[in-house]
């Protein structure tokens, strides 16, 4: 239980136990990543449900996305911005890594964050109530599963940093456990199981892409992978409905 709480508090702003005992095998808690996504999804559905009695659906979605950002502390959005500023600066590897550590927001970062938020807000607003609930639950789950895939058989591009906790440390057994959990959660929308195949391919391509530019993955590129996965899943859901 403490292992799950530790991962929940690591990936979100949700505080359950303020003084957790030190865990020397903290990285093994990676198996709980999809469950953290499920917790976030349930909170988003509950919040949006309450807002549905008070506000128009469009405003409810905006506030629900805002809550999502608050619950995660904008952790992955920050990684998205840093990654786009660095990876697409057309600079040498070491300079790219320096740019990614810079706290200042560049044009690439601003555009990437803006586009992702627009896709999420407008995309969620276009869904009916049932599909909206499915999206709010599975979007965070798919995003956290992407973090596991991005860490599996990956090389850490820096000498040190928080991303080193999981990158390259995920075992095949742990990956299989997270995939099983994600599959079970995805049973609420059978067609969403098809997205997992797409996710496996996208995560593999993304790791090769970042490795070509900076020699591996970092915490920032993991955050970007999470955000991109959530946006792609939402687009997948919309296209599936329209077809």
């Amino acid at each position: 239980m403490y292992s799950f709480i530790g991962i929940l508090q690591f990936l979100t702003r949700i505080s359950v136990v303020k003084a957790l005992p030190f865990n020397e095998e903290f990285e093994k808690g990676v198996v709980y990543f999809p469950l953290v996504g499920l917790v976030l999804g349930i909170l988003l559905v509950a919040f949006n449900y309450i807002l549905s009695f008070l506000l128009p659906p469009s405003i409810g979605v905006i506030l629900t996305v805002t809550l999502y950002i608050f619950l995660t502390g904008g952790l992955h959005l920050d990684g998205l911005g840093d990654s786009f500023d660095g990876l697409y600066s057309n600079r040498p590897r070491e300079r790219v890594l320096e740019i990614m550590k810079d706290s200042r927001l560049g044009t690439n970062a601003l555009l990437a964050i803006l586009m992702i938020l627009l896709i999420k807000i407008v995309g969620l607003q276009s869904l009916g109530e049932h599909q909206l609930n499915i999206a709010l639950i599975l979007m965070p789950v798919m995003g956290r599963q992407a973090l596991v895939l991005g860490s599996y058989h990956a090389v850490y591009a820096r000498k040190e940093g928080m991303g080193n906790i999981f990158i390259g440390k995920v075992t095949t057994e742990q990956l299989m456990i997270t995939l099983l959990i994600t599959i079970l959660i995805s049973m609420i929308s059978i067609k969403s199981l098809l997205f997992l195949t797409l996710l496996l391919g996208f995560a593999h391509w993304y790791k090769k892409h970042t490795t070509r530019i900076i020699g591996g993955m970092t915490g920032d590129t993991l955050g970007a992978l999470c955000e991109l996965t959530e946006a792609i899943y939402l687009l997948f859901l919309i296209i599936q409905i329209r077809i």
Side-chain angles (χ1 to χ4, degrees):
M1 179 59 71
Y2 277 128
S3 181
F4 170 71
I5 293 173
I7 292 297
L8 178 67
Q9 295 185 169
F10 179 78
L11 292 177
T12 73
R13 281 182 169 176
I14 301 172
S15 180
V16 180
V17 179
K18 291 186 176 180
L20 278 174
F22 177 72
N23 184 358
E24 293 182 352
E25 298 182 329
F26 181 73
E27 71 278 359
K28 292 184 178 180
V30 71
V31 296
Y32 298 118
F33 274 34
L35 292 178
V36 170
L38 178 61
V39 170
L40 289 168
I42 291 172
L43 290 175
L44 295 180
V45 168
F47 184 70
N48 187 70
Y49 177 74
I50 294 171
L51 290 181
S52 68
F53 294 101
L54 306 172
L55 298 167
S58 58
I59 297 178
V61 164
I62 293 174
L63 292 179
T64 300
V65 172
T66 302
L67 174 66
Y68 189 22
I69 296 171
F70 173 78
L71 289 174
T72 60
L75 177 65
H76 306 307
L77 278 175
D78 181 65
L80 175 74
D82 288 341
S83 295
F84 271 69
D85 267 348
L87 294 177
Y88 306 111
S89 63
N90 295 318
R91 304 292 179 85
R93 175 183 179 276
E94 293 303 322
R95 180 56 183 148
V96 169
L97 290 173
E98 288 178 10
I99 293 172
M100 290 170 67
K101 287 189 69 175
D102 194 329
S103 60
R104 290 173 295 182
L105 192 70
T107 303
N108 287 347
L110 178 62
L111 290 173
I113 293 171
L114 178 62
M115 290 304 298
I116 288 294
L117 290 179
L118 282 175
I119 290 173
K120 287 185 177 181
I121 291 172
V122 177
L124 290 170
Q125 288 175 341
S126 71
L127 298 174
E129 182 180 354
H130 177 66
Q131 293 297 332
L132 174 59
N133 289 335
I134 289 175
L136 289 176
I137 289 178
L138 291 184
M139 191 171 65
V141 173
M142 296 299 181
R144 273 77 207 159
Q145 179 62 64
L147 293 178
V148 182
L149 290 168
S151 299
Y152 179 68
H153 279 189
V155 176
Y156 190 54
R158 298 186 185 278
K159 293 181 180 179
E160 58 183 18
M162 290 181 64
N164 195 35
I165 299 175
F166 300 107
I167 295 174
K169 309 290 178 60
V170 177
T171 66
T172 301
E173 180 183 3
Q174 290 169 339
L175 175 62
M176 291 299 105
I177 291 172
T178 61
L179 285 173
L180 177 59
I181 293 172
T182 299
I183 289 172
L184 290 175
I185 297 172
S186 298
M187 293 297 286
I188 65 172
S189 173
I190 301 299
K191 292 181 180 179
S192 290
L193 290 172
L194 296 174
F195 179 76
L196 280 175
T197 303
L198 178 61
L199 176 54
L200 289 170
F202 176 65
H204 177 70
W205 170 84
Y206 182 84
K207 284 189 291 185
K208 290 182 65 175
H209 178 62
T210 60
T211 299
R212 180 175 58 82
I213 299 174
I214 57 174
M217 293 285 287
T218 69
D220 284 330
T221 61
L222 278 181
L225 177 59
C226 177
E227 290 292 339
L228 291 170
T229 296
E230 291 182 348
I232 294 172
Y233 170 69
L234 187 53
L235 292 173
F236 169 85
L237 194 61
I238 294 170
I239 293 171
Q240 175 187 279
I241 293 171
R242 292 182 67 85
I243 293 176

